[in-house]
Amino acid sequence: MMQLIYRLSAVVFLCSVLGYLNAEEVFKHKDWLVATYPDDSKYIKYSTHGTAVWGHEFGFLKTVGDCKADNIYVSWSSTKDINQLKRMESKKVLFELGPDDNFEFQFAIPNLAVTHLIGSNEYFEIPNPLNVMLFTNYFPKYTFLPTLEAGRKISVNVSNQDPHHGNFDIPDDQFSLEGYIAARQYAMELCEMRTKALEIKDQYKVTMR
């Protein structure tokens, strides 16, 4: 129970304090990359971009001290009114995920943040401002990750049965799984290395008392 509370508070802190768009790439293999947050070394993200909309992102977060856990991470864009989108915050949205279209998993993933991408309508030459929504804080069942290792792509769709479906301009996308295994391995090793460094630091503090 305490570990779950730690996971929840960690991700909320990530979204509210660090800013989930402020990440630095540290590793890339094929279509997947690993990024860290310069303001806090406890968080490691490995992810890939959508094939329909590059700004859509699918991947996972790892937290130092809890390296075996993979917290699903989905970032999606929408030109709908931001006040309308913000009414989704803290609510769950039902996503349908199909690795290689052979299986379908349904995950109700919480929407933790909605932010406006400043200058997006001028940069992308679109009539309405672009808003970005973050869905995370969901740890998928153990049967899900092995399907990603064996697959080549995964489809991610907002279920048309979900009441928030209308908030998404493009409710479906596909993501390459080429490079997923290497990115996850790198994220795991980096997480374990930082966990060990943190343990040594804590032990040093104890001996210096």
Side-chain angles (χ1 to χ4, degrees), residues 7-208:
R7 290 176 180 176
L8 294 176
S9 60
V11 175
V12 169
F13 176 81
L14 171 67
C15 297
S16 61
V17 179
L18 301 182
Y20 63 88
L21 294 178
N22 183 29
E24 292 183 352
E25 180 181 324
V26 295
F27 174 82
K28 189 176 191 303
H29 181 67
K30 296 184 179 179
D31 297 322
W32 279 68
L33 59 86
V34 179
T36 58
Y37 294 86
D39 296 326
D40 198 305
S41 60
K42 291 195 296 291
Y43 306 101
I44 301 163
K45 177 180 69 173
Y46 62 104
S47 62
T48 188
H49 292 279
T51 56
V53 180
W54 189 88
H56 293 169
E57 194 174 1
F58 167 75
F60 300 87
L61 291 171
K62 283 191 175 293
T63 305
V64 172
D66 191 18
C67 297
K68 291 184 178 180
D70 294 271
N71 185 359
I72 203 163
Y73 178 105
V74 176
S75 177
W76 220 265
S77 61
S78 176
T79 59
K80 301 294 184 180
D81 180 72
I82 192 168
N83 294 317
Q84 176 182 336
L85 297 178
K86 279 189 170 292
R87 288 197 286 270
M88 282 196 311
E89 286 185 333
S90 77
K91 296 180 180 179
K92 296 179 180 179
V93 172
L94 185 63
F95 284 88
E96 299 168 342
L97 297 89
D100 279 350
D101 301 321
N102 293 327
F103 308 93
E104 184 177 284
F105 296 84
Q106 290 191 330
F107 299 147
I109 308 174
N111 173 217
L112 289 195
V114 177
T115 187
H116 169 58
L117 203 57
I118 298 174
S120 56
N121 48 330
E122 293 87 357
Y123 182 81
F124 294 110
E125 297 182 352
I126 53 178
N128 299 319
L130 191 64
N131 303 302
V132 180
M133 303 167 285
L134 173 64
F135 301 87
T136 187
N137 213 16
Y138 184 92
F139 298 85
K141 59 184 73 175
Y142 70 93
T143 55
F144 178 62
L145 294 183
T147 66
L148 304 186
E149 296 177 3
R152 297 180 61 86
K153 61 182 175 64
I154 182 171
S155 61
V156 179
N157 312 311
V158 179
S159 173
N160 56 19
Q161 302 299 315
D162 190 276
H164 307 292
H165 184 270
N167 287 338
F168 297 80
D169 301 312
I170 302 175
D172 53 83
D173 209 335
Q174 284 198 343
F175 300 84
S176 169
L177 293 174
E178 299 290 334
Y180 161 77
I181 295 176
R184 183 173 187 266
Q185 181 65 28
Y186 187 94
M188 174 71 82
E189 292 174 357
L190 181 59
C191 184
E192 291 174 344
M193 181 179 66
R194 291 186 174 184
T195 297
K196 186 64 176 178
L198 187 61
E199 291 172 352
I200 294 173
K201 183 178 179 181
D202 290 342
Q203 290 172 1
Y204 177 76
K205 287 181 179 178
V206 172
T207 59
M208 292 300 291

